[in-house]
Amino acid sequence: MSHILIVEDEAIIRTALRKLLERHRYKISEAGSVREATTKYRLADMDLIISDLRLPGAPGTDLLKLAGDVPVLIMTSYASLRSAVDSMRMGAADYIAKPFDHDEMLATVRRVIGKAEQNRAAGAAAADSKAEGRAISGMIGDSPVMRDLYARIHKVAPTDATVLVHGETGTGKELVARAIHEESKRNGKPLISVNCAAIPETLIEAELFGHEKGAFTGAQTAREGLIAAADGGTLFLDEIGELPLEAQARLLRVLQEGEVRPIGAIESRKVNVRLVAATHRNLRQLAAEHKFREDLYYRINVVQMTLPPLRERGKDVLTIAENLLEKFCAKVSRSILRLSPEAIQAITTYTWPGNVRELENAIQRAVILTEDNVEIDHRTLDIDLDLVPIEEADPERRPRTSLRADPREDLSLEDYFARFVLEHQDTMSETELAKKLGVSRKCLWERRQKLGIPRKKAKRLAEA
């Protein structure tokens, strides 16, 4: 039942309106002035306020400021366009003239309350969506793919589910593991990170599971493994696809039984560890080739997360570059540099096969090598990219809006572009293609993305 406050100084009108609304199952409260309304009731508890424009003391429009998000319906016997416009401009939900028609009043009340409920629901949904997609400390980017990743992390982190993170080298998979740990109930316990590819096969089992004294040659003392060290916290296994099959069998027991047995030990000890694994390899394919245990794959493949490569993150690349620039300038105690337009073009055009790690190296190198200039030039970035500014392209070679490749065939500009690229990309470099089309390499790359034409290296360059 919606609660409506009627603010009207004429008792006859107030009573008539109350009876009308009560007959239609509305809960009604009454006041004769703005002061009485604010002292007698809490306006925020109302679903609608119906107020006369002219009241003793203060006008009804004063309630527009005091009511907050509660809609206010203004009524007046001085029905004029000016009064209506002024009230609506000040924030009134609607306007109705006295004497009012009963049906018109009821229809207006239903409409205003219904619209307010829709707005509240939409606002709550937007707030939830924003909360789910809110950024994570240490991770930069606001592209749709990153907002989806943030939302997934916020949902999964409070649980104890095992997480498998996919991503190319240099995309920041450890940042995802750290975010999951920090937002979990285990954040007071340790996060132990292990790069499985960085430890020799002969030592990986001893490092992970520990060993007893004399378990093997060189084991002069007993040592606790990294899994036991992560007890109560989170274990992050980076490049889990590089883990030897023997170690995979031991890890499977940890996940299934919740216990670890050091090398050379007779008894196992209980451990409570959450696993976050990461890889840039296709574990399903490795399992099919018997290079990765299938049972372990299904055990760790509970929740999957994919870190997009830098080339698929749109404007994030420039945001990350500017953050890194500020960071490295502060590190070497110099004033903040800025990126030149050519440097920005280079950063946003390059495909970054090494992802964030490669971008970080390029920015750090540029900060160190840039001397007295306030701008970082694209040459200082030392990116393997030939930029062809549009203004330097041969105007005679620019495609015209009415090109005909064949007298019988009328091609659009996009048709011509796609056809030219497909016919010549095997024999021309990207720079040559851009020059022939009269565009920059950035424009060529953007058109490729839009038209879905994959990038290929020139055959003659490959042969060379």
Side-chain angles (χ1 to χ4, degrees):
M1 183 182 293
S2 298
H3 191 177
I4 299 175
L5 172 63
I6 300 172
V7 185
E8 168 61 65
D9 59 323
E10 295 185 38
I12 296 175
I13 297 176
R14 191 169 67 237
T15 302
L17 183 55
R18 173 175 57 78
K19 289 181 177 180
L20 171 66
L21 294 174
E22 283 179 339
R23 283 201 303 270
H24 289 82
R25 304 183 64 79
Y26 290 107
K27 180 181 177 182
I28 304 300
S29 295
E30 301 176 41
S33 65
V34 172
R35 183 176 181 179
E36 184 183 353
T38 53
T39 55
K40 195 173 179 181
Y41 305 104
R42 188 170 179 268
L43 301 186
D45 293 338
M46 304 298 167
D47 294 298
L48 173 65
I49 298 172
I50 302 175
S51 175
D52 190 11
L53 180 61
R54 294 176 179 267
L55 292 167
T61 49
D62 278 14
L63 289 166
L64 298 172
K65 302 173 186 176
L66 302 170
D69 293 332
V70 179
V72 178
L73 174 61
I74 294 293
M75 56 181 181
T76 180
S77 55
Y78 301 91
S80 69
L81 182 61
R82 184 178 181 85
S83 298
V85 170
D86 289 345
S87 298
M88 298 293 282
R89 187 178 291 160
M90 294 173 70
D94 211 331
Y95 176 96
I96 195 165
K98 294 190 295 184
F100 50 80
D101 178 78
H102 286 194
D103 291 338
E104 182 186 358
M105 173 61 79
L106 291 171
T108 303
V109 166
R110 279 194 294 267
R111 184 176 68 252
V112 171
I113 292 178
K115 187 176 180 181
E117 289 175 349
Q118 288 177 358
N119 290 340
R120 280 195 293 269
D128 291 343
S129 177
K130 187 175 180 180
E132 285 184 357
R134 69 185 186 276
I136 289 173
S137 176
M139 299 182 74
I140 301 169
D142 194 41
S143 58
V145 287
M146 291 304 292
R147 286 200 300 269
D148 289 344
L149 178 65
Y150 298 153
R152 203 170 180 86
I153 289 173
H154 295 317
K155 286 180 181 178
V156 173
T159 72
D160 273 338
T162 301
V163 179
L164 179 59
V165 184
H166 285 281
E168 294 179 6
T169 300
T171 49
K173 296 186 285 294
E174 187 168 353
L175 292 176
V176 174
R178 190 169 299 280
I180 291 171
H181 176 72
E182 290 299 328
E183 294 198 12
S184 72
K185 293 173 283 188
R186 300 171 177 265
N187 57 13
K189 297 291 184 176
L191 166 67
I192 303 295
S193 299
V194 184
N195 188 334
C196 299
I199 304 174
E201 283 192 23
T202 53
L203 298 177
I204 188 70
E205 288 189 64
E207 286 289 321
L208 286 177
F209 307 100
H211 59 80
E212 293 293 306
K213 180 180 179 181
F216 52 84
T217 304
Q220 298 178 357
T221 58
R223 183 178 176 184
E224 183 182 60
L226 295 173
I227 293 176
D231 190 18
T234 305
L235 176 68
F236 173 55
L237 293 183
D238 196 6
E239 300 301 348
I240 194 172
E242 309 301 325
L243 201 63
L245 291 172
E246 295 81 3
Q248 291 179 29
R250 282 178 170 269
L251 179 61
L252 183 63
R253 181 170 180 80
V254 172
L255 297 177
Q256 287 179 335
E257 308 297 333
E259 58 184 33
V260 60
R261 184 165 64 88
I263 297 173
I266 298 174
E267 295 182 353
S268 301
R269 60 163 287 189
K270 287 288 183 182
V271 288
N272 178 10
V273 173
R274 181 192 194 165
L275 177 66
V276 178
T279 183
H280 72 282
R281 306 181 68 181
N282 187 334
L283 295 187
R284 183 187 291 274
Q285 184 178 341
L286 291 179
E289 296 171 357
H290 305 292
K291 295 178 182 177
F292 194 86
R293 289 185 65 102
E294 191 173 24
D295 48 2
L296 179 59
Y297 169 69
Y298 289 118
R299 190 76 189 183
I300 65 175
N301 188 31
V302 179
V303 177
Q304 279 199 32
M305 293 187 186
T306 301
L307 254 175
L310 203 51
R311 61 183 173 274
E312 294 179 5
R313 292 178 56 181
K315 293 180 181 179
D316 282 357
V317 63
L318 189 57
T319 306
I320 296 170
E322 289 171 342
N323 274 270
L324 290 171
L325 185 58
E326 186 176 341
K327 167 188 167 184
F328 288 121
C329 284
K331 199 170 184 180
V332 296
S333 301
R334 67 177 300 171
S335 57
I336 301 297
L337 299 170
R338 64 172 180 265
L339 298 166
S340 69
E342 292 80 11
I344 292 173
Q345 185 182 0
I347 287 170
T348 55
T349 304
Y350 187 50
T351 56
W352 299 107
N355 293 296
V356 179
R357 191 173 295 134
E358 184 183 6
L359 175 61
E360 187 173 11
N361 292 341
I363 297 296
Q364 186 176 16
R365 178 171 57 246
V367 169
I368 293 170
L369 297 180
T370 300
E371 296 179 354
D372 298 329
N373 298 334
V374 294
E375 279 191 344
I376 289 180
D377 189 73
H378 68 282
R379 296 181 186 86
T380 316
L381 289 170
D382 196 21
I383 298 173
D384 184 20
L385 178 67
D386 294 324
L387 293 176
V388 185
I390 296 175
E391 58 269 24
E392 292 180 13
D394 185 356
E396 292 300 317
R397 298 184 184 273
R398 292 186 183 180
R400 297 176 177 82
T401 54
S402 58
L403 290 168
R404 289 178 181 269
D406 188 296
R408 298 163 297 174
E409 186 178 16
D410 189 10
L411 295 176
S412 69
L413 195 58
E414 286 194 349
D415 291 336
Y416 175 85
F417 179 90
R419 185 169 183 172
F420 186 89
V421 172
L422 289 169
E423 287 179 357
H424 297 91
Q425 66 180 354
D426 289 341
T427 56
M428 289 184 183
S429 67
E430 291 292 288
T431 302
E432 290 170 329
L433 274 174
K435 282 183 178 179
K436 289 287 185 183
L437 289 165
V439 298
S440 67
R441 279 191 55 162
K442 180 176 184 293
C443 182
L444 173 61
W445 179 81
E446 288 175 343
R447 293 264 186 95
R448 278 186 179 278
Q449 299 300 307
K450 181 180 177 183
L451 298 174
I453 304 172
R455 181 178 180 178
K456 294 183 180 179
K457 292 184 178 179
K459 284 184 178 178
R460 59 188 182 86
L461 291 177
E463 288 168 0

